[in-house]
Every structure is written in structure tokens, then in C-alpha cells.
Amino acid sequence: MLSKNQIKLITSLQQKKQRIASQLFFAEGIKVIHELLESKFELVHLYTTQNDFQEVSNDKKVLIDDSELKKITALATANTCLAVFKIPSEKKIIDSGLILALDSVRDPGNLGTILRLCDWFGIGQLICSKETVDIYNPKVVQATMGSIARVNVNYIDLESFIVQTKLPVFGTFMDGKNIYKENLPQEGIIIMGNEANGISPTLETLIQNRLTIPRFGTLQKTESLNVATATAIVLSEFRRG
């Protein structure tokens, strides 16, 4: 059985301020929860409609019915399980290798997909401006499909970080150099910008290497690529070398 206080706490975690205050977040779905259980994240409680997750001790597992799950889910169609985890302390930034930086990316689906791309392409460090959507937003957690457990994420003042770094800094612009014709290094910082406005003007002045993904369409009418799609292309090119 779910108590009213449990329902109130879990549903409140859909709000960023409540996640910060309680230092908790939740994840839904068997795959995502299993990935988190096998990682650095500390489980607080697991709520499930099935007799599963045998590795979880009974004092942390609560069997509920479908109607109860519907009261706490953030999904349009409830899954079979939801788990509450503690938000871990941010780890020190790894200032080496390839680093991806996000400047005010606001869409949860985009951030979740970008985290999966970091995981796929072996990018261990993702740094985000403080205006970027919260990594522990339920929609972000869902979209990562477990990759949130394998990528180090930090929210920082991007301008200050870029000013002090010794790594080469790259950004994507409409008027940059053709990414397919550049010799790209295996170390550096790649900045991807906001969905509507791209990279902010203040950050743009700090970027030494301007890249573009050229358009091949005959009419050349498409204004831009989705930021997650563009990130996939850029990371693929850097890894291709």
C-alpha cells in the first residue's frame, strides 16, 4: 500500500525545486531501474506491480497495484515499476579527452538522447550550463534509457570553464568550416547550443574553432538540425578522426 505522504513525495519530485530540496529523483521502467541499481545510485524505495527485482531487499521494495502506480507515474501510460533514488554528489570534472558541453539545452528529450549519445561514443564527461534542463527531470531520466548511470554530468558556469581550459574549443555554427573536411582531434571541448538560439553570443566569442554540418538538399531551405541529431553527427565525426 502507498501512503498519502509517499504519493505526495513522489509526485513532488516532478518539480526541480523539490528534487533539490529532498536530493531525490525517480526513474520508471524495468530497464532504466536495473541500470541504476547496478550503478553508483543509491536506492531509497522501489514500487512495483510485479514480483520482480529479487535483488532488492524487502525493506526497500513495496508491492503496489496498477491504480496506485497511476497516482505516482509521470508517464502517460504507466509502466510496471517506479524507483526513488538519492541524487549523488557531482564528481570532479574530467578535464581531458573529448568533452561535450551544452549551452541552455531546454528540451528533456534532447538532453536524454544526448546522454545516450555520450554513452555510445564514449564521451565520459558532459558539462551543462546552469540554464540547461535538469538531468534528474523524469523525462530526461526516461530518455537516457540508463545511460545516466555511465556519464559524468556537471552543471557549471560554462564561460568561466572555457576561459580557463587548455583544451581546444569547438562550436557548431551555420557559417563554420565543413566538419567533413576538417582534421578533428581526439581531445577538446565541443559546445552545442540552445534549440532555438544556438550558442550564446558571449560563449561564441570564446570559441576558436567554428564548425558546420553542411546542407546537401537542393533547395537549402532547412534552417537547422535538431540539437540531438546534430550532436550525433558531430560526435561521430570526432570519433572517426
Side-chain angles (χ1 to χ4, degrees), residues 105 109-111 113-114 117 192 195 225-233:
V105 170
N110 282 337
L111 179 54
T113 300
I114 288 169
L117 289 167
M192 305 300 294
E195 290 90 343
L225 286 173
N226 167 274
V227 65
T229 301
T231 300
I233 295 169

Side-chain angles (χ1 to χ4, degrees), residues 119-133:
D119 193 13
W120 183 268
F121 286 105
I123 307 297
Q125 179 67 62
L126 175 65
I127 54 177
C128 304
S129 69
K130 294 180 180 179
E131 295 74 30
T132 295
V133 62

Side-chain angles (χ1 to χ4, degrees), residues 65-83:
D65 60 33
D66 291 336
S67 64
E68 289 177 306
L69 184 60
K70 287 179 181 178
K71 293 178 182 179
I72 57 175
T73 183
L75 302 174
T77 303
N79 209 299
T80 61
C81 49
L82 180 150

Side-chain angles (χ1 to χ4, degrees), residues 46-220:
L46 170 68
Y47 304 92
T48 177
T49 61
Q50 310 291 321
N51 186 23
D52 49 12
F53 294 97
Q54 302 304 317
E55 70 274 30
V56 176
S57 60
N58 289 332
D59 62 318
K60 290 192 174 184
K61 183 164 60 174
V62 181
L63 190 62
I64 60 175
D65 60 33
D66 291 336
S67 64
E68 289 177 306
L69 184 60
K70 287 179 181 178
K71 293 178 182 179
I72 57 175
T73 183
L75 302 174
T77 303
N79 209 299
T80 61
C81 49
L82 180 150
V84 177
F85 292 90
K86 290 184 179 180
I87 294 176
S89 301
E90 285 191 350
K91 293 182 178 179
K92 185 179 178 181
I93 293 175
I94 308 162
D95 194 8
S96 62
L98 273 182
I99 297 173
L100 184 66
L102 302 182
D103 180 21
S104 300
V105 170
R106 302 297 178 88
D107 182 81
N110 282 337
L111 179 54
T113 300
I114 288 169
L115 258 170
R116 291 182 70 188
L117 289 167
C118 287
D119 193 13
W120 183 268
F121 286 105
I123 307 297
Q125 179 67 62
L126 175 65
I127 54 177
C128 304
S129 69
K130 294 180 180 179
E131 295 74 30
T132 295
V133 62
D134 180 25
I135 190 79
Y136 297 111
N137 179 306
K139 292 180 180 178
V140 176
V141 176
Q142 195 70 24
T144 70
M145 295 298 289
S147 290
I148 189 175
R150 293 181 290 275
V151 180
N152 192 37
V153 182
N154 294 78
Y155 284 79
I156 61 170
D157 182 327
L158 272 185
E159 292 175 40
S160 297
F161 183 81
I162 297 304
V163 166
Q164 60 82 36
T165 187
K166 295 180 181 179
L167 294 172
V169 181
F170 298 83
T172 51
F173 302 92
M174 294 302 291
D175 62 349
K177 295 180 180 179
N178 186 336
I179 192 169
Y180 301 127
K181 296 181 179 179
E182 291 298 296
N183 291 318
L184 302 172
Q186 291 303 296
E187 278 206 327
I189 299 169
I190 306 163
I191 302 178
M192 305 300 294
N194 173 266
E195 290 90 343
N197 303 310
I199 295 171
S200 61
T202 50
L203 264 182
E204 183 176 349
T205 61
L206 303 175
I207 296 172
Q208 310 102 320
N209 305 284
R210 300 168 67 93
L211 300 172
T212 193
I213 301 168
R215 290 179 292 187
F216 292 93
T218 304
L219 297 179
Q220 303 284 293

